[in-house]
Amino acid sequence: MVKQKYRALGMQDNPKNVCACLAIRKAARAVTQFYDSYLQSFGLKPTQHSLLLAAYFADGITISDLAHFMVMDRTTLTRNLKPLEKDGLLIVNPEQDRRAKKIVITRKGVTLLKKMTPAWESAQQELNRRIGSTKFGQVLEDMSYIVDAIYW
Amino acid sequence: MVKQKYRALGMQDNPKNVCACLAIRKAARAVTQFYDSYLQSFGLKPTQHSLLLAAYFADGITISDLAHFMVMDRTTLTRNLKPLEKDGLLIVNPEQDRRAKKIVITRKGVTLLKKMTPAWESAQQELNRRIGSTKFGQVLEDMSYIVDAIYW
DNA sequence: TCAAGATACGTGCATATACACTTATAATAG
DNA sequence: CTATTATAAGTGTATATGCACGTATCTTGA
């Protein structure tokens, strides 16, 4: 087993010496794959589901503002919106300020989002069950705390 | 401010209803960008630094085994190794089992890794300082726990 | 008013990520 | 001993990520 053979990859007995960047990226990959297994039958990846959700709750938000909320480079968001636009789930429209563009969810987007909600809830609840409700809540808080700690 | 205007993106007052996948991916992006600001002058991204570190501590590990440790698709790892190979930091060699390949760090790779260590430590310590030692340790544990909860 | 700076966005480039499919090699069952 | 199955890896395709750079528009100061 990998765990036995390459324990050294943990590097130190002191877990504080494990690279936090590596640790969180590994967990992010695992969680993404987990949620994807629940959402994939709807044709949306977890990232796309999150974007569509944002377009629903913050209808009319600009690209820059959403990028800021997503802790994502603006140019990344511009490209991530493309597949959703292509599928007619949302539209990117000009603003009054002609430099800016606002993101608007379509009826098709809303319908898909609502259809996906039970699957998303299943993923969320199953992960909650597996790691325990207390830890689950703590991790959600900590993730938000980390983002704030880095950018403020 | 985005925070004020689009509070709805948090969706609910109950933080448990925040998507865990979104939360951890946001944090992963933030942490990656943070570490990148410390490592970029050496020409390696955080992911590449982690891979090189793995090649150092688990010298001779196969692609599949390292992919498993990294919680990464094997084909992703294959491609992620390319830039490091191109820069002569590691070599991918055939095994006795001719299906497999082992990853071997080069002297150049070791040298670079050691040169980067103080910068990596600065990032690690500064993040530790910003979120507090207790929470820092807890998050590292939790990330590992989540990976185990998903794959076991 | 209008030139300088600030803001919002897009493109080129390189890397990161994973699934579906294919190829090559090893192990095993009959 | 061979046919089947299992394992290790690579490629094609599509999306995800961010930096450097450029364009268009708005704001502001002289």
Side-chain angles (χ1 to χ4, degrees):
Chain A
M1 204 58 218
V2 177
K3 274 241 155 167
Q4 288 301 323
K5 194 169 178 189
Y6 297 104
R7 245 187 95 265
L9 273 174
M11 274 189 294
Q12 253 87 20
D13 288 332
N14 185 348
K16 295 255 176 97
N17 290 328
V18 172
C19 178
C21 185
L22 174 57
I24 199 169
R25 287 184 67 92
K26 280 168 64 170
R29 284 191 287 265
V31 171
T32 301
Q33 288 162 27
F34 181 76
Y35 276 71
D36 190 46
S37 70
Y38 285 81
L39 303 181
Q40 64 178 353
S41 61
F42 299 93
L44 285 193
K45 294 175 181 298
T47 311
Q48 298 173 333
H49 177 256
S50 295
L51 286 183
L52 197 55
L53 206 58
Y56 178 75
F57 280 106
D59 207 41
I61 193 172
T62 67
I63 291 181
S64 286
D65 281 351
L66 182 53
H68 183 244
F69 172 78
M70 295 287 287
V71 191
M72 185 183 283
D73 191 89
R74 180 187 50 75
T75 66
T76 299
L77 178 58
T78 294
R79 290 178 225 256
N80 288 1
L81 290 171
K82 288 288 163 60
L84 298 174
E85 239 186 320
K86 181 168 58 72
D87 291 346
L89 302 172
L90 52 78
I91 299 174
V92 180
N93 278 330
E95 271 267 21
Q96 295 89 331
D97 182 338
R98 287 185 302 169
R99 291 171 300 182
K101 291 184 175 179
K102 60 184 171 189
I103 301 162
V104 180
I105 193 167
T106 64
R107 198 157 4 171
K108 187 180 175 187
V110 174
T111 303
L112 177 59
L113 206 49
K114 290 187 172 169
K115 209 169 58 174
M116 290 180 76
T117 298
W120 171 81
E121 271 176 353
S122 294
Q124 185 91 344
Q125 280 169 18
E126 174 60 16
L127 184 59
N128 187 314
R129 193 190 67 74
R130 290 201 199 182
I131 69 180
S133 192
T134 304
K135 200 187 284 289
F136 187 83
Q138 190 60 50
V139 167
L140 286 184
E141 271 183 42
D142 289 346
M143 294 302 101
S144 170
Y145 192 87
I146 286 175
V147 172
D148 290 348
I150 287 175
Y151 291 108
W152 287 358
Chain B
M1 203 58 220
V2 177
K3 274 243 158 166
Q4 286 302 323
K5 194 170 175 186
Y6 298 105
R7 243 186 99 265
L9 272 175
M11 275 188 294
Q12 254 87 20
D13 288 333
N14 185 347
K16 295 253 176 99
N17 291 328
V18 172
C19 179
C21 185
L22 174 57
I24 199 170
R25 286 183 67 92
K26 280 168 65 170
R29 284 192 287 266
V31 172
T32 301
Q33 287 162 27
F34 182 76
Y35 276 71
D36 190 46
S37 70
Y38 286 80
L39 303 181
Q40 64 178 353
S41 61
F42 299 93
L44 285 193
K45 293 173 181 299
T47 311
Q48 299 172 332
H49 177 257
S50 295
L51 286 183
L52 197 55
L53 205 59
Y56 178 76
F57 280 107
D59 208 40
I61 193 172
T62 66
I63 290 180
S64 285
D65 282 351
L66 182 54
H68 183 244
F69 171 78
M70 295 289 286
V71 192
M72 185 183 281
D73 191 87
R74 180 188 49 74
T75 66
T76 299
L77 178 57
T78 295
R79 289 178 224 254
N80 288 0
L81 289 172
K82 289 287 162 60
L84 298 174
E85 239 187 320
K86 181 169 57 74
D87 290 346
L89 302 171
L90 51 78
I91 299 172
V92 180
N93 278 330
E95 271 267 20
Q96 297 87 332
D97 181 338
R98 288 185 300 167
R99 292 171 300 183
K101 291 185 172 178
K102 60 185 173 188
I103 301 162
V104 180
I105 194 167
T106 64
R107 198 157 3 170
K108 187 180 176 188
V110 175
T111 303
L112 178 58
L113 206 50
K114 290 186 172 169
K115 210 169 55 174
M116 290 180 76
T117 297
W120 172 81
E121 271 176 353
S122 294
Q124 185 90 345
Q125 281 169 17
E126 175 61 14
L127 183 59
N128 188 312
R129 191 189 67 74
R130 289 201 198 182
I131 70 179
S133 192
T134 304
K135 199 186 288 288
F136 186 83
Q138 190 61 49
V139 167
L140 286 184
E141 271 183 42
D142 289 345
M143 294 301 102
S144 171
Y145 192 86
I146 286 176
V147 171
D148 290 348
I150 287 176
Y151 291 108
W152 286 357

